[in-house]
Amino acid sequence: ISQSFCIFLLLLPLRESEMNPKRCAACKYLRRRCPKDCIFSPYFPPNDPEKFACIHRIYGAGSVSKMLQQLPVQTRAEAVDSLCFEAKCRVEDPVYGCVGIIYLLQTQIQKAENLLAKTQAEIAVAQTKHSQTPKFDYM
Amino acid sequence: ISQSFCIFLLLLPLRESEMNPKRCAACKYLRRRCPKDCIFSPYFPPNDPEKFACIHRIYGAGSVSKMLQQLPVQTRAEAVDSLCFEAKCRVEDPVYGCVGIIYLLQTQIQKAENLLAKTQAEIAVAQTKHSQTPKFDYM
């Protein structure tokens, strides 16, 4: 009886009531049981395994778990989304990651601002010409 | 003699000739000897400990080492720079990281594009008015 009780105690952390009935994508990936209070579970549903695979490849499960634990619960979903975006960018572009997107956007802003300055200069010229043209009021 | 020889063999991986005379910031941080072929050494000089600390906090040494090993040597410096930038952004803004910068830049582009469209529309109006104004050539 004493031995059975010991086995029962050992199995306590694995009780079904403390586990999610369906493992989240992170626990599936990490080949472990998914506890009810799993930090990944709300953000990595089982039907999207790629989301965790990507984030794990770049940051590792430990880093992501640590980062999430340091955040208030209401900001974690947004944090996971931005981490996933960065991880995807890094997988697609291992040298520049999403910093490559920042460079591109900065170039785009520079171009838009140059075009704006040019257009505003054109307006100024057009307005000067317009004001120099004699006006006749027929009314 | 045999025992001394064994100790000599054991110490072989730690020979001074195979080590960097000055440990790089990564090896200092990880409290380990810095081998001559250290993957971090060219990008983490000993005088900038913060650079590695930041990248380690977000990605972990293992992930960074793995990412660098998968890259051609000539692209590694750029990869380290972009990883450091992303890590710094994530430390400063743990929810959005450098994705926050992307949002900001996209908003800035949107504003610049709206202003450009407005300015171009103004030009079109000004040109139409200008073409409708009777012209008198005094020459």
Side-chain angles (χ1 to χ4, degrees):
Chain A
I1 296 163
S2 157
Q3 203 184 357
S4 307
F5 186 67
C6 284
I7 291 167
F8 170 74
L9 281 178
L10 278 169
L11 288 174
L12 259 185
L14 303 173
R15 276 189 314 183
E16 284 305 318
S17 62
E18 286 169 11
M19 298 296 147
N20 280 324
K22 215 171 172 190
R23 282 189 301 171
C24 72
C27 290
K28 253 186 192 173
Y29 187 95
L30 300 168
R31 294 180 183 189
R32 64 177 199 185
R33 285 191 163 214
C34 188
K36 274 262 158 76
D37 60 349
C38 173
I39 190 135
F40 300 122
S41 164
Y43 320 109
F44 298 99
N47 58 355
D48 187 2
E50 197 46 45
K51 194 178 175 187
F52 186 78
C54 190
I55 220 170
H56 182 265
R57 192 168 152 190
I58 301 301
Y59 297 96
S63 288
V64 177
S65 159
K66 211 163 64 185
M67 285 194 262
L68 292 181
Q69 270 162 351
Q70 287 165 353
L71 286 175
V73 177
Q74 69 274 16
T75 62
R76 288 182 190 170
E78 295 266 304
V80 166
D81 284 350
S82 71
L83 284 168
C84 282
F85 181 80
E86 282 183 36
K88 268 181 198 163
C89 289
R90 180 65 54 182
V91 168
E92 281 165 20
D93 179 354
V95 179
Y96 296 102
C98 76
V99 177
I101 295 179
I102 293 181
Y103 290 154
L104 272 176
L105 291 176
Q106 279 172 338
T107 313
Q108 207 178 325
I109 286 180
Q110 201 52 55
K111 275 186 189 167
E113 279 174 354
N114 290 347
L115 192 56
L116 188 62
K118 205 181 141 199
T119 312
Q120 279 168 338
E122 277 171 12
I123 275 203
V125 169
Q127 278 171 343
T128 315
K129 272 188 186 166
H130 189 63
S131 65
Q132 281 168 353
T133 310
K135 279 171 196 158
F136 296 89
D137 200 342
Y138 299 102
M139 297 300 282
Chain B
I1 296 164
S2 156
Q3 203 182 359
S4 308
F5 186 67
C6 283
I7 290 168
F8 170 75
L9 281 179
L10 278 169
L11 288 173
L12 260 184
L14 304 173
R15 276 189 314 183
E16 285 304 318
S17 61
E18 286 169 11
M19 297 297 145
N20 279 324
K22 216 170 172 192
R23 281 190 302 171
C24 73
C27 290
K28 254 186 191 170
Y29 187 95
L30 300 169
R31 294 180 185 190
R32 64 177 198 184
R33 286 192 163 214
C34 189
K36 273 263 157 76
D37 60 349
C38 171
I39 191 136
F40 299 121
S41 165
Y43 320 109
F44 297 99
N47 58 354
D48 188 2
E50 198 46 44
K51 193 178 174 187
F52 187 77
C54 191
I55 220 171
H56 181 263
R57 193 168 150 190
I58 301 301
Y59 298 95
S63 287
V64 177
S65 158
K66 211 164 62 184
M67 284 194 263
L68 292 181
Q69 270 163 350
Q70 286 166 353
L71 285 174
V73 178
Q74 68 275 16
T75 62
R76 289 183 189 170
E78 296 267 303
V80 166
D81 284 348
S82 71
L83 284 168
C84 282
F85 180 81
E86 282 182 36
K88 269 182 196 162
C89 289
R90 182 63 57 182
V91 168
E92 283 165 20
D93 180 353
V95 179
Y96 296 102
C98 77
V99 178
I101 296 180
I102 293 180
Y103 290 154
L104 273 177
L105 291 176
Q106 279 172 337
T107 313
Q108 208 177 325
I109 286 179
Q110 200 54 54
K111 276 185 188 167
E113 279 174 354
N114 289 348
L115 193 57
L116 187 63
K118 205 182 139 199
T119 312
Q120 279 169 338
E122 277 171 13
I123 276 203
V125 171
Q127 278 171 344
T128 312
K129 272 187 186 167
H130 189 65
S131 65
Q132 280 168 355
T133 311
K135 279 173 196 155
F136 295 88
D137 200 342
Y138 298 101
M139 297 299 281

